[in-house]
Amino acid sequence: MTAKGRIVVAMSGGVDSSATAALLKEQGWDVVGVTLQLYDHGQAVCRPNTCCAGKDIHDARTVADVLGIPHYVMDMESTFHADVVDKFAESYIRGETPIPCVLCNQTVKFRDLFSIARDLGADALATGHYVQRQDGANGAIMLKGADPGRDQSYFLFSTTREQLEFLRFPLGGFLSKDETRAIAARYNLPVAAKRDSQDICFVPDGDYAGLVQRLKPGAIRPGAIVHVEDGRELGRHQGIIHYTIGQRKGLGLGGGDPLYVIRLEAEKAQVVVGPREALGRSRITVRGVNWLGDGDGADFVCQVRVRSTRPPMPARVRLDGQGGGLVMLDMPEQGVAPGQACVFYDGDRVLGGGWIVGAD
């Protein structure tokens, strides 16, 4: 054991996690690399632009060899399929817009990796996420990443207090990806110039609807596209899984004023469309709330982000103490979709968040 203790690094085979391992070794930690295999070997090989694929496992092992650290590959295929892939498909069928990366962090990457790290005698678990952790008066707190363009706090809102105490995010204070690549280059790591993963790892071709059709072939129903104002039928669709809230292109409705998907009604198999102004929502209902702020968080003013690509907006939040809550925005927000997360911020501090179940 070193003076700093043992730390497990979640190594995906990309430059971020590889640089994390190198940086922690440089700081004097006893580093152990762990890679999660999320697909069987035949499916995993040669998947471009994803993480946790066959080439990525090879890259992680090569990096570990260069750094001279032990490296383990853990088969999490069945757990990943049950906790992430199946739930992704079920969410789409309900007319939601899921975020599988949050589910993956919440289950396979944190819940299960925590157990693995403790079994390996680790004092901490580190990832390459761009988010910051600090020790506060009442325990560890989470902050946005220093680089606004790479901040990943939205995807980590469900991290529990216990997990946050155990976690480390060495890259969170970096101001650019160039700093990360410089660390990898300094150690002559073969992934120093590797491209970032772009797609959802289990949908490398971007065809979400095709995946859902393969997993849930009997659950997709055709239906009507109707106008939000009077319910008149404007066209037909082959399944609500082909649409998301705020979508404009690909509706197949011909000319006229621009129309957007306002909501998806799974029980009626209807896609409801209307003008852009009909997208505005001022009240959001959330469930599965994870609270990371001080006190009980019953009633507070903050900023909220309703999608990873949207800026935080001022709001008032009232939590019911049972995992649910109501978010009241100061100004209407567009693109609010069930299945997405509503994350609470106090400036740079992450106060927690919940899953969006409805909005009006």
Side-chain angles (χ1 to χ4, degrees):
M1 295 287 287
T2 64
K4 289 202 172 192
R6 175 171 293 170
I7 191 164
V8 164
V9 177
M11 297 182 68
S12 66
V15 64
D16 294 331
S17 59
S18 299
T20 295
L23 186 63
L24 291 168
K25 181 177 180 181
E26 189 176 82
Q27 292 174 355
W29 288 88
D30 172 21
V31 179
V32 178
V34 173
T35 300
L36 304 178
Q37 180 177 321
L38 304 182
Y39 321 98
D40 67 53
H41 182 73
Q43 291 179 322
V45 175
C46 298
R47 285 193 172 199
N49 301 326
T50 66
C51 69
C52 310
K55 185 179 185 304
D56 297 308
I57 293 173
H58 171 76
D59 287 345
R61 181 177 290 116
T62 302
V63 167
D65 288 344
V66 171
L67 294 175
I69 62 173
H71 177 252
Y72 300 93
V73 177
M74 312 302 292
D75 182 359
M76 305 299 291
E77 181 186 356
S78 60
T79 300
F80 179 72
H81 200 281
D83 287 341
V84 180
V85 181
D86 276 347
K87 285 183 170 56
F88 173 86
E90 292 163 2
S91 184
Y92 257 114
I93 290 170
R94 292 194 298 269
E96 299 173 350
T97 305
I99 321 173
C101 293
V102 176
L103 278 177
C104 190
N105 290 331
Q106 192 174 25
T107 57
V108 180
K109 287 188 178 175
F110 281 178
R111 181 198 65 198
D112 297 335
L113 200 48
F114 264 67
S115 297
I116 294 169
R118 294 194 185 280
D119 287 345
L120 290 171
D123 300 287
L125 170 67
T127 77
H129 287 103
Y130 285 84
V131 65
Q132 299 182 83
R133 173 201 178 278
Q134 291 182 4
D135 291 321
N138 299 311
I141 63 174
M142 182 186 294
L143 304 172
K144 295 177 184 176
D147 178 0
R150 302 197 68 82
D151 169 48
Q152 294 175 300
S153 60
Y154 180 86
F155 299 100
L156 296 176
F157 83 89
S158 61
T159 305
T160 67
R161 290 179 182 276
E162 180 185 6
Q163 290 171 342
L164 193 56
E165 292 290 341
F166 195 61
L167 279 164
R168 300 294 184 272
F169 306 104
L171 304 185
F174 287 13
L175 292 174
S176 75
K177 186 63 175 273
D178 290 341
E179 292 182 71
T180 303
R181 294 194 183 280
I183 292 173
R186 188 165 74 242
Y187 274 85
N188 295 316
L189 301 184
V191 298
K194 187 174 180 179
R195 293 173 55 188
D196 291 345
S197 59
Q198 300 286 331
D199 306 310
I200 294 176
C201 62
F202 56 90
V203 197
D205 59 1
D207 184 9
Y208 308 147
L211 173 74
V212 177
Q213 287 173 322
R214 291 193 298 273
L215 293 176
K216 311 287 181 182
I220 300 166
R221 295 183 292 151
I225 301 175
V226 302
H227 200 284
V228 68
E229 294 176 357
D230 54 17
R232 70 184 185 277
E233 184 172 319
L234 303 177
R236 303 291 294 178
H237 67 80
Q238 295 304 308
I240 62 172
I241 62 170
H242 297 282
Y243 304 87
T244 59
I245 304 298
Q247 179 179 334
R248 176 185 172 186
K249 297 180 179 180
L251 301 183
L253 298 178
D257 295 333
L259 294 173
Y260 300 79
V261 176
I262 306 301
R263 64 178 181 270
L264 301 171
E265 299 181 346
E267 292 184 1
K268 298 179 182 179
Q270 284 189 344
V271 176
V272 181
V273 300
R276 185 181 181 88
E277 55 266 26
L279 281 169
R281 297 290 183 267
S282 298
R283 293 161 56 92
I284 303 171
T285 305
V286 294
R287 64 165 178 81
V289 171
N290 180 56
W291 178 246
L292 291 173
D294 299 324
D296 58 11
D299 190 333
F300 58 98
V301 174
C302 66
Q303 305 88 46
V304 301
R305 178 175 281 164
V306 297
R307 288 208 183 203
S308 63
T309 55
R310 299 289 293 173
M313 302 290 287
R316 186 177 200 93
V317 179
R318 290 176 180 163
L319 303 181
D320 60 15
Q322 305 298 316
L326 178 65
V327 178
M328 294 159 284
L329 292 155
D330 288 9
M331 296 185 298
E333 176 70 297
Q334 296 185 341
V336 180
Q340 293 282 295
C342 181
V343 181
F344 318 141
Y345 295 89
D346 179 10
D348 285 338
R349 183 177 178 183
V350 182
L351 300 176
W355 296 100
I356 298 173
V357 292
D360 54 41

